[in-house]
């Protein structure tokens, strides 16, 4: 009985899928709101399959192994966009099919050094690496990287276990570029991080979000949305997310179409749909982040965790190629 | 040198199950004392009580007059040889024997000398550096004895030390054990369920059944004067007969046994005419012949139902005219010169001396 | 015969092939974004001396954890082997495996964390909180906890084979309980001790999640550095070279122990 039911269901689903085109999306879990996807399905009479990954590395390994086949739209971060371009995994975007592109903020577009002319990628969301403070335990603080110099918070703070993020923070604190190739500046940054290291509990990339929410840690360096999702309802006011006044590191996630995409036309329609100001506003509200879509800001109902202006102080982490070795060595000297 | 053990009214339970039932024993200094009984009767348990591996619910155990119940096993001047020998697999023969000496912090030269003597005693010098897995069963058993003697205990407890060996080796080692006992002069408490072992070497034997001591005595006493049916049948073979007393004479009773007939038996126990007795008659005490013997009492006619040739003797099962099947063992003393050879289906006469039967029990009717 | 073939195939596909890839990659040049360039190089190995401190730390953390684990596992295994409820107790030993190990590590944070159960309890009585976690000892504690079953099981199975009567014989010959344990039981469960050692030390040496979650600034182990080299630095040859180092250290250790066993 049950078996035949499942069979029937399968047949039905197959038939319905026949009639409609299917768009395969590969993205972070919960990154695109469900209602946006449902609206898109309705509007274009198609079906969307939303598959998820937990890290750019995971996504990259899968796409690389499949030579860019299997998905129509992917959401890589900046550095991985440039890697995928170099590896020849992406196809060019047909801008004539994306009229809504014009709504994107020029300031953001200027920052996409990984694909300056947007031949291969269209920005989806951007954000900064932030400092999160649990205000139940820490009342007075300055919104600056100098918080990590505070001896009174010794053993209650964590920094990301990520050399580009941490060195980037120190470089910004000193007023340098997060992508500096100047050895003297890097040595100075190293000294700063070594000072911070005295005060932090550990370098933590895996459990800081949980830690700050439960009060295990009081001040953490990390990604706002990671922490934001874990805060229990009604406790939002206990947490402060700030981009230090000196600025920090910026990330931009873009939408790309891989070489092997099966439904290129629908993929373009989807990207254009996302850039529709009303949709973009809903997405930004949902994520708690500022929208890169200028027109969308008029429609937003919530105040983002941090403002768009704050983001402009931040700098995108760029691929340094061979120079990364130097960063590696310095990081090694810090953590050993 | 040897120790004297007194076991006083010991009761021991495993849960609800009573293994030792009011057991009392006196084991004398330097004695070779056997505890004999069927499997599961509580022999090992009794030995383990003496060694200190089991506590008792009631009663006391004295060694040379002092209670040892409060002493843990490692403090009792008593050593045990386990059914399985329990040699240490990771140590050589030498080190196995040296084990108790090293615990007592003997010097290296003392250890060499003592172990050397013990190896000599058990004639195992050339095997000193083998591991237990490289030894035969008999060798293992000797090492176990040497190791138990190394501590110079006052009493040596042996739990069926020969049961894992074949019959011939068992015989040899038993004699060796007896010699050893004479040499070291300490008390041996030897547990076995094999009656020939117990009888052949022991000074005295305690017969056990179902957690109780049935009889204590020399092997001769136990064999010749069993106190009950169990004792009579457990040790050696016998013809057990229920007989009715017809007449009481000065020294004998005239009795009638169903399937046998009327005969005389010695008055081991007091009884009256009309009483019923249980009588044991050992098969080797019965004569068997083709010709009717020249006596008038205790002679019966029958037919050989079965003969089992054993080499040194032949076992006959004779069906008497009245129906009783009697076991008769004939020793081949001068086999060829004796009377004609008896065979299956031969008609024979069996006879015995009225003094050779023994009244085990008087059943009051 | 058929089974041998299956076994060989299994070994080849699941063990030898991946291992060969790791060995091979360690002798190649890294590509910037992960992967390897097909040219022979010993450069990855020239990095290893930098990690001496890390290697030393990993070794002592794993070593101390292993010894503690064995010390705890011995009496437990002994107790179980003598118990009348062996199956039930063994079940209890393996029950933790029904829960994901990451969750169990997090549970330790809930218990011992700065804001954990114990510290909240202390706090209620006005006592200063104690920082139990984020140091090498926390790492050792959780390693011991995690790998205890791996030590109990082989020790149990070799203790079960030990004839009870040799323990009684030792007692009878004058040994006290400690002497029975050290002089008779231990030498007779050497095989179990050896496998317990191997089962604990090797995974402990390669620990990754435990130092990451309950360790602090000075308790990163070699496993964390391998993961960092592979995922963040994306230098596959260095990650492979470090893995090979782990393999060689483990192999040499095992061989040395086995050799010593044989000579005896
Ligand atoms: N630890 C124990 N727990 C419960 N019952 C036991 C225990 N040890 C022995 N018994 C029981 O006690 C009784 C006597 O056992 P014991 O080992 O003393 O017999 P035994 O006379 O030595 O027998 P065998 O000749 O077979 O060695 C047996 O019924 C046995 O099942
Ligand atoms: Mg027994």
């Amino acid at each position: 009985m049950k078996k035949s039911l499942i069979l029937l269901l399968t047949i039905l689903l197959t038939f319905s899928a026949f009639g409609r085109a299917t768009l395969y999306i590969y993205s972070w879990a919960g990154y695109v709101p469900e209602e946006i996807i449902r609206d898109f399905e309705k509007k274009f009479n198609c079906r969307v399959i939303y598959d998820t990954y937990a890290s750019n590395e995971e996504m990259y390994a899968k796409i690389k192994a499949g030579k860019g086949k299997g998905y129509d739209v992917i959401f890589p971060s900046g550095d991985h966009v440039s890697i995928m371009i170099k590896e020849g995994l992406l196809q060019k975007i047909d801008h004539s099919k994306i009229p809504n592109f014009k709504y994107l903020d020029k300031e953001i577009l200027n920052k996409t050094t990984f694909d300056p002319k947007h031949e291969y990628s269209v920005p989806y969301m951007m954000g900064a690496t932030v400092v999160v403070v649990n205000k139940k335990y820490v009342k007075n603080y300055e919104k600056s990287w100098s918080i990590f110099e505070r001896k009174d918070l010794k053993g209650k703070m964590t920094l990301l276990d990520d050399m580009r993020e941490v060195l980037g923070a120190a470089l910004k604190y000193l007023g340098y570029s997060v992508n500096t190739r100047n050895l003297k500046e890097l040595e100075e940054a190293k000294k700063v991080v070594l000072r911070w290291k005295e005060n932090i509990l550990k370098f933590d990339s895996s459990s800081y979000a949980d830690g700050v929410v439960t009060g295990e840690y009081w001040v953490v360096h990390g990604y706002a949305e990671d922490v934001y999702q874990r805060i229990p309802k009604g406790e939002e006011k206990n947490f402060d997310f700030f981009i230090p006044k000196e600025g920090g590191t910026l990330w931009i996630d873009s939408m790309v179409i891989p070489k092997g995409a099966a439904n290129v036309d629908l993929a373009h329609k989807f990207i254009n749909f996302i850039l529709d100001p009303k949709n973009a506003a809903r997405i930004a509200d949902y994520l708690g982040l500022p929208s890169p879509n200028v027109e969308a800001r008029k429609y937003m109902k919530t105040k983002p965790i941090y403002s768009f202006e704050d983001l402009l102080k931040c700098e995108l982490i760029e691929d340094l190629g061979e120079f990364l070795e130097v960063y590696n060595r310095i990081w090694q000297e810090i953590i050993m | 040198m040897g120790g004297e053990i007194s076991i006083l009214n010991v009761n021991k339970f495993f849960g609800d199950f009573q293994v030792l039932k009011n057991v009392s024993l006196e084991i004398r200094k330097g004695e070779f004392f056997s505890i004999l009984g069927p499997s599961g009767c509580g022999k090992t348990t009794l030995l383990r009580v003496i060694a200190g591996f089991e506590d008792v619910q009631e009663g006391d155990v004295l060694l040379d007059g002092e209670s040892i119940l409060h002493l843990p096993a490692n403090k009792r001047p008593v050593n045990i040889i386990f059914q399985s020998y329990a040699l240490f697999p990771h140590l050589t023969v030498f080190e196995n024997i040296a084990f108790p000496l090293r615990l007592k912090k003997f010097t290296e030269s003392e250890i060499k000398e003592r172990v050397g003597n013990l190896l000599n005693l058990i004639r195992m010098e050339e095997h000193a550096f083998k591991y237990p897995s490289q030894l035969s069963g008999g060798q293992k058993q000797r090492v176990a004895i040497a190791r138990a003697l190394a501590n110079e205990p006052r009493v040596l407890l042996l739990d069926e030390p020969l049961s894992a060996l074949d019959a011939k080796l068992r015989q040899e080692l038993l004699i060796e054990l007896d010699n050893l006992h004479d040499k070291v002069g300490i008390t041996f408490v030897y547990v076995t369920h094999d009656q020939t072992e117990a009888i052949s070497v022991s000074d005295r034997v305690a017969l056990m059944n179902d957690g109780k001591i049935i009889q204590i005595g020399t092997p001769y006493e136990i064999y010749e004067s069993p106190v009950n049916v169990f004792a009579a049948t457990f040790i050696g073979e016998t013809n057990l007969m229920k007989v009715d007393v017809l007449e009481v004479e000065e020294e004998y009773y005239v009795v009638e046994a169903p399937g046998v007939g009327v005969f005389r038996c010695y008055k081991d126990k007091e009884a009256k005419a009309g009483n019923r007795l249980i009588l044991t008659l050992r098969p080797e005490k019965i004569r068997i012949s083709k010709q009717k013997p020249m006596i008038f009492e205790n002679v019966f006619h029958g037919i050989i139902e079965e003969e089992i040739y054993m080499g040194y003797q032949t076992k006959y099962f004779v069906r008497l005219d009245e129906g009783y099947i009697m076991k008769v063992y004939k020793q081949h003393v001068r086999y060829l010169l004796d009377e004609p050879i008896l065979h299956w289906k031969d008609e024979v006469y069996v006879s015995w001396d009225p003094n050779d039967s023994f009244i085990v029990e008087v059943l009051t009717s | 015969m058929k089974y041998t073939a299956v076994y060989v195939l299994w070994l080849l596909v699941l063990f030898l092939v991946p291992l060969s890839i790791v060995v091979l990659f360690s002798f190649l040049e890294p590509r910037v974004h992960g992967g390897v360039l097909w040219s022979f190089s010993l450069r990855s190995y020239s990095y290893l001396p930098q990690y001496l401190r890390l290697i030393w730390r990993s070794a002592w953390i794993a070593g101390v954890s292993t010894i503690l684990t064995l010390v705890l596992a011995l009496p437990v295994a002994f107790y179980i082997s003598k118990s009348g409820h062996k199956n039930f107790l063994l079940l209890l030993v393996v029950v933790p495996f029904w829960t994901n190990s990451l969750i169990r590590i997090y549970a330790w944070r809930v218990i011992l964390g700065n804001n954990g159960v114990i510290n909240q309890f202390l706090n209620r009585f006005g006592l200063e909180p104690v920082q139990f976690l984020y140091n090498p000892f926390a790492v050792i504690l959780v390693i011991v906890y995690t790998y205890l079953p791996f030590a109990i099981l082989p020790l149990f199975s070799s203790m079960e084979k030990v004839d009870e009567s040799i323990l009684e014989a030792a007692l009878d010959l004058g040994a006290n309980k400690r002497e029975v344990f050290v002089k008779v039981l231990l030498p007779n469960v050497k095989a179990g001790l050896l496998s317990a050692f191997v089962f604990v030390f090797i995974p402990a040496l390669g620990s990754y999640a435990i130092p990451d979650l309950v360790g602090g600034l000075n308790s990163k182990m070699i496993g964390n550095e391998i993961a960092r080299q592979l995922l963040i630095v994306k230098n596959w040859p260095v990650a492979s070279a470090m893995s090979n180092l782990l393999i060689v250290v483990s192999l040499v250790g095992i061989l040395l122990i086995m050799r010593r066993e044989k000579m005896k």
Side-chain angles (χ1 to χ4, degrees):
Chain A
M1 184 58 207
K2 227 181 204 165
K3 255 190 199 153
S4 54
L5 205 73
I6 292 173
L7 193 71
L8 198 75
L9 228 71
T10 318
I11 292 169
L12 275 175
L13 280 172
T14 321
F15 266 102
S16 61
F18 258 126
R20 298 188 279 151
T22 306
L23 183 74
Y24 289 91
I25 294 176
Y26 196 27
S27 180
W28 308 83
Y31 205 30
V32 181
E34 287 236 7
E35 6 166 313
I36 296 283
I37 289 179
R38 239 173 274 132
D39 287 354
F40 179 76
E41 282 180 330
K42 241 179 262 159
K43 182 161 179 191
F44 293 94
N45 187 32
C46 66
R47 214 159 65 90
V48 173
I49 306 243
Y50 189 90
D51 201 1
T52 63
Y53 51 82
S55 71
N56 275 301
E57 285 77 18
E58 182 189 335
M59 175 277 297
Y60 175 69
K62 190 161 170 185
I63 298 301
K64 172 101 180 144
K67 304 223 161 49
K69 281 202 198 54
Y71 295 103
D72 301 311
V73 181
I74 310 176
F75 289 67
S77 307
D79 53 342
H80 277 79
V81 172
S82 68
I83 293 170
M84 290 168 88
I85 293 172
K86 281 181 203 151
E87 299 287 324
L89 293 169
L90 303 182
Q91 55 176 282
K92 290 203 172 169
I93 303 281
D94 181 351
H95 279 269
S96 70
K97 289 182 180 163
I98 307 186
N100 288 338
F101 190 85
K102 62 174 181 281
Y103 296 123
L104 285 171
D105 195 321
K106 296 289 168 297
E107 300 261 22
I108 296 293
L109 293 179
N110 285 337
K111 288 207 177 243
T112 58
T113 46
F114 51 85
D115 182 20
K117 292 188 187 135
H118 308 98
E119 288 174 288
Y120 296 93
S121 65
V122 177
Y124 173 71
M125 247 325 136
M126 83 262 129
T129 311
V130 299
V131 175
V132 186
V133 177
N134 187 324
K135 292 199 281 188
K136 267 192 278 185
Y137 302 99
V138 184
K139 308 280 187 215
N140 305 307
Y141 53 93
E142 199 191 342
K143 297 193 178 190
S144 157
W145 289 116
S146 66
I147 195 166
F148 289 107
E149 309 260 4
R150 281 177 58 174
K151 292 262 177 274
D152 62 320
L153 297 177
K154 189 178 162 96
K156 307 295 180 195
M157 306 189 286
T158 66
L159 286 166
L160 282 171
D161 189 11
D162 182 316
M163 74 179 171
R164 291 302 304 275
E165 290 287 6
V166 175
L167 283 171
L171 286 164
K172 273 289 172 196
Y173 182 48
L174 293 165
Y176 303 136
S177 161
V178 303
N179 297 310
T180 186
R181 289 167 192 254
N182 180 323
L183 267 179
K184 215 176 100 297
E185 291 176 5
L186 276 170
E187 284 298 328
E188 277 182 61
K190 174 182 148 188
K191 286 206 189 86
V192 170
V193 178
L194 282 174
R195 269 204 320 272
W196 292 353
K197 191 183 163 193
E198 295 287 305
N199 298 328
I200 62 168
L201 191 54
K202 62 189 291 193
F203 291 105
D204 185 345
S205 291
S206 38
S207 57
Y208 70 87
D210 213 54
V212 74
V213 169
T214 58
E216 182 72 18
Y217 310 148
W218 296 353
V219 177
V220 300
H221 172 218
Y223 305 104
E225 16 358 309
D226 266 6
V227 179
Y228 189 67
Q229 290 167 7
R230 284 186 166 78
I231 299 174
K233 272 260 162 322
E235 286 197 26
E236 291 86 351
K237 59 174 192 316
N238 287 333
F239 297 90
D240 185 22
F241 300 77
F242 70 82
I243 297 172
K245 62 178 192 217
E246 300 89 353
T249 58
L250 180 75
W251 53 261
I252 300 176
D253 287 343
S254 297
M255 296 173 280
V256 300
I257 305 175
K259 268 258 168 70
N263 222 328
V264 178
D265 189 53
L266 202 56
H268 280 90
K269 284 187 177 129
F270 181 79
I271 295 173
N272 195 51
F273 186 77
I274 294 287
L275 294 187
D276 179 287
K278 284 189 181 145
N279 293 335
R282 281 153 78 194
I283 293 169
D285 276 338
Y286 167 82
L287 292 174
L289 296 175
S291 178
N293 190 311
V294 181
E295 197 64 16
R297 293 177 198 152
K298 293 180 193 158
Y299 300 102
M300 281 181 66
K301 297 193 186 79
T302 62
K303 195 170 161 287
I305 303 171
Y306 41 76
S307 71
F308 184 72
E309 288 63 41
D310 285 340
L311 279 186
L312 294 179
K313 295 184 295 195
C314 299
E315 201 184 344
L316 196 68
I317 291 177
E318 282 168 15
D319 183 20
L320 290 170
E322 298 281 332
F323 196 77
L324 202 66
E325 285 261 324
V326 178
Y327 276 68
N328 268 328
R329 179 179 56 75
I330 284 174
W331 182 247
Q332 203 68 51
E333 289 161 7
I334 290 169
I335 58 175
M336 283 295 147
Chain B
M1 222 200 165
E4 179 184 62
I5 291 181
S6 311
I7 294 166
L8 304 173
N9 306 94
V10 162
N11 282 307
K12 158 108 193 128
F13 294 82
F14 284 121
D16 288 340
F17 175 67
Q18 187 168 8
V19 205
L20 298 179
K21 299 174 181 166
N22 200 29
V23 170
S24 293
L25 277 182
E26 291 286 339
I27 300 170
R28 297 171 194 149
K29 262 190 213 314
E31 186 170 41
F32 195 128
F33 190 92
S34 288
I35 299 171
L36 175 65
S39 190
C41 74
K43 307 180 296 289
T44 298
T45 308
L46 180 57
L47 217 55
R48 289 170 61 83
V49 165
I50 301 173
F53 293 117
E54 305 283 356
D55 51 1
V56 299
Q57 277 71 35
E58 273 178 77
D60 204 351
V61 177
L62 311 181
L63 177 64
D64 294 330
E66 281 174 51
S67 175
I68 51 169
L69 277 187
H70 63 283
L71 292 175
N74 54 349
K75 297 270 160 58
R76 297 192 185 185
V78 164
N79 281 117
I80 187 166
I81 290 166
F82 289 88
Q83 230 160 336
S84 58
Y85 312 138
L87 297 181
F88 303 129
H90 64 293
L91 297 178
T92 58
V93 167
F94 185 97
E95 285 302 326
N96 259 283
I97 300 173
F99 185 86
L101 305 177
R102 292 201 189 282
L103 288 176
K104 289 201 173 149
K105 305 273 186 289
F106 278 61
T107 65
E108 205 57 38
S109 60
E110 282 173 315
I111 289 174
K112 270 223 176 78
E113 193 193 320
R114 280 244 213 157
V115 175
N117 288 343
L118 286 161
L119 282 169
N120 176 271
L121 186 72
I122 59 168
R123 293 180 285 109
M124 289 275 292
E125 288 104 329
E126 68 270 40
H127 303 294
F129 297 102
K130 284 188 178 168
Y131 284 90
S133 59
Q134 300 164 311
L135 299 179
S136 73
Q139 291 170 332
K140 280 185 203 168
Q141 198 257 331
R142 298 209 296 258
V143 175
I145 292 175
R147 186 179 67 177
L149 290 176
N151 257 342
E152 300 187 333
R154 282 187 255 169
V155 177
L156 189 65
L157 308 171
L158 304 101
D159 189 1
E160 309 207 24
L162 306 178
S163 61
L165 307 174
D166 64 68
K168 195 160 176 324
L169 193 58
R170 205 149 62 204
Q171 213 49 57
E172 280 174 34
L173 285 173
L174 198 60
I175 294 167
E176 220 172 273
L177 212 56
D178 197 19
N179 292 337
L180 196 71
H181 173 247
D182 292 343
K183 270 191 217 161
V184 296
I186 62 174
T187 313
F188 275 32
V189 181
Y190 185 96
V191 156
T192 179
H193 62 256
D194 181 332
Q195 31 118 354
T196 48
E197 272 178 25
I199 286 181
S200 54
V201 291
S202 315
D203 296 321
R204 285 192 311 144
V205 177
L207 186 63
M208 254 183 107
N209 189 31
D210 190 23
K212 286 182 291 233
I213 301 289
I214 305 297
Q215 188 172 4
I216 302 173
T218 62
Y220 180 83
E221 283 163 356
I222 294 207
Y223 189 78
E224 298 296 342
S225 324
V227 296
N228 62 14
V229 174
F230 170 78
T233 48
F234 188 74
I235 300 187
E237 310 233 11
T238 195
N239 294 294
L240 212 60
M241 290 177 268
K242 276 193 180 143
V243 302
D244 295 315
V245 180
L246 301 179
E247 224 175 286
V248 181
E249 297 174 351
E250 197 173 329
E251 274 191 84
Y252 302 99
Y253 298 122
V254 178
V255 297
E256 179 173 16
V260 182
V262 178
F263 57 91
R264 280 201 165 74
C265 71
Y266 183 74
K267 260 169 92 173
D268 301 292
K269 293 190 167 72
E270 277 308 318
K272 297 195 292 279
N275 277 165
R276 179 164 275 198
L277 311 175
I278 295 180
L279 211 65
T280 170
L281 177 61
R282 299 283 182 192
E284 71 276 7
K285 304 235 159 90
I286 303 172
R287 285 181 301 267
I288 183 168
S289 56
K290 272 206 162 129
Q291 267 94 46
K292 194 168 180 179
M294 296 305 208
I295 42 173
F296 307 103
E297 52 178 16
N298 296 10
V299 178
F300 296 96
H301 179 258
I303 291 175
I304 296 178
E305 278 259 300
E306 196 149 351
E307 64 166 310
I308 303 168
Y309 179 70
M310 308 276 295
Y312 63 101
Q313 70 174 14
T314 300
K315 297 183 173 183
Y316 297 104
F317 290 77
V318 180
R319 180 188 288 277
L320 303 185
D321 291 349
E322 305 240 341
Y324 186 85
I325 295 180
M326 186 163 278
K327 282 179 259 179
V328 183
Y329 297 171
K330 183 168 169 56
Q331 299 298 312
H332 302 306
V333 189
R334 288 151 52 207
Y335 184 57
L336 290 172
L337 303 177
D338 237 8
E339 28 187 296
I341 303 163
L342 302 173
H343 284 305
W344 183 57
K345 292 283 184 203
D346 281 354
E347 292 197 18
V348 290
Y349 292 92
V350 294
S351 59
W352 63 91
D353 188 309
N355 293 310
D356 280 345
S357 63
F358 184 77
I359 298 172
V360 181
E361 282 173 50
V362 179
L363 308 170
T364 43
S365 49
Chain C
M1 212 23 235
K2 225 161 49 188
Y3 293 110
T4 321
V6 171
Y7 176 70
V8 168
L9 192 75
W10 184 87
L11 200 71
L12 214 67
V13 173
L14 295 178
F15 183 73
L16 284 179
V17 170
L19 192 67
S20 318
I21 291 175
V22 173
V23 172
L24 176 69
F25 278 14
S26 72
F27 292 107
L28 298 176
E29 287 275 351
R31 281 186 62 211
V32 178
H33 300 299
V36 287
L37 291 172
W38 292 92
S39 65
F40 177 82
S41 157
L42 287 172
R43 202 153 64 117
S44 332
Y45 287 94
S46 72
Y47 281 91
L48 293 186
Q50 294 177 27
Y51 292 107
L52 232 52
R53 266 183 67 184
L54 186 71
I55 292 164
W56 165 242
R57 182 196 294 151
S58 307
W60 83 254
I61 289 182
V64 170
S65 308
T66 307
I67 290 168
L68 284 176
T69 309
L70 295 187
V71 166
L72 287 175
L74 274 168
V76 177
F78 183 69
Y79 179 79
I80 296 177
S81 74
K82 295 287 165 264
S83 154
H85 312 279
K86 278 181 210 175
N87 290 335
F88 176 69
L89 292 174
L90 284 177
L91 186 73
L92 287 188
V93 169
V94 297
V95 155
F97 291 127
W98 296 353
T99 308
N100 180 287
S101 65
L102 274 179
I103 293 174
R104 286 184 284 134
I105 300 171
Y106 265 101
W108 279 102
R109 286 170 58 114
V110 172
I111 297 167
L112 294 181
N114 292 343
N115 205 15
V117 177
I118 293 182
N119 272 321
Q120 281 176 11
F121 185 76
L122 291 179
N123 194 27
R124 187 162 307 167
F125 293 96
L127 295 166
E128 278 294 298
V130 181
Q131 187 181 304
F132 298 107
L133 296 181
Y134 317 115
N135 56 51
F137 301 104
V139 176
I140 290 172
L141 172 78
V142 179
I143 290 179
V144 169
Y145 159 77
T146 305
Y147 294 111
L148 196 57
F150 291 97
I152 292 176
L153 295 180
L155 280 175
F156 163 79
S157 73
S158 59
M159 280 187 186
E160 211 188 12
K161 287 189 207 105
V162 171
D163 184 358
E164 164 93 41
S165 68
I166 68 169
L167 306 181
E168 288 188 337
L171 205 62
D172 186 65
L173 293 167
N176 58 34
K177 289 217 168 100
R178 197 185 58 81
E179 286 166 330
V180 173
F181 197 83
V182 175
K183 296 194 167 154
V184 180
L185 185 66
L186 278 193
N188 283 296
V189 295
K190 263 198 191 143
L193 269 173
L194 193 68
S195 12
F197 180 87
V198 169
F199 288 164
V200 176
F201 183 74
I202 289 178
L205 192 63
S207 294
Y208 163 67
I210 296 171
D212 193 39
L213 291 176
V214 300
L217 282 170
N218 50 358
S219 28
K220 284 256 167 340
M221 290 174 69
I222 198 163
N224 304 94
E225 187 57 21
I226 292 174
R228 200 178 76 83
Q229 289 291 339
L230 188 74
L231 293 173
I232 295 172
V233 183
K234 296 202 176 79
N235 190 332
W236 293 12
V238 168
S240 304
M242 295 177 84
S243 306
N244 288 340
L245 181 78
L246 267 187
I247 293 169
V248 169
V249 168
S250 311
L251 271 183
V252 167
I254 295 171
L255 289 180
L256 277 181
I257 293 172
M258 292 210 299
R259 167 79 70 77
R260 242 190 57 193
E261 271 311 290
K262 248 194 219 139
M263 288 208 304
K264 269 197 174 174

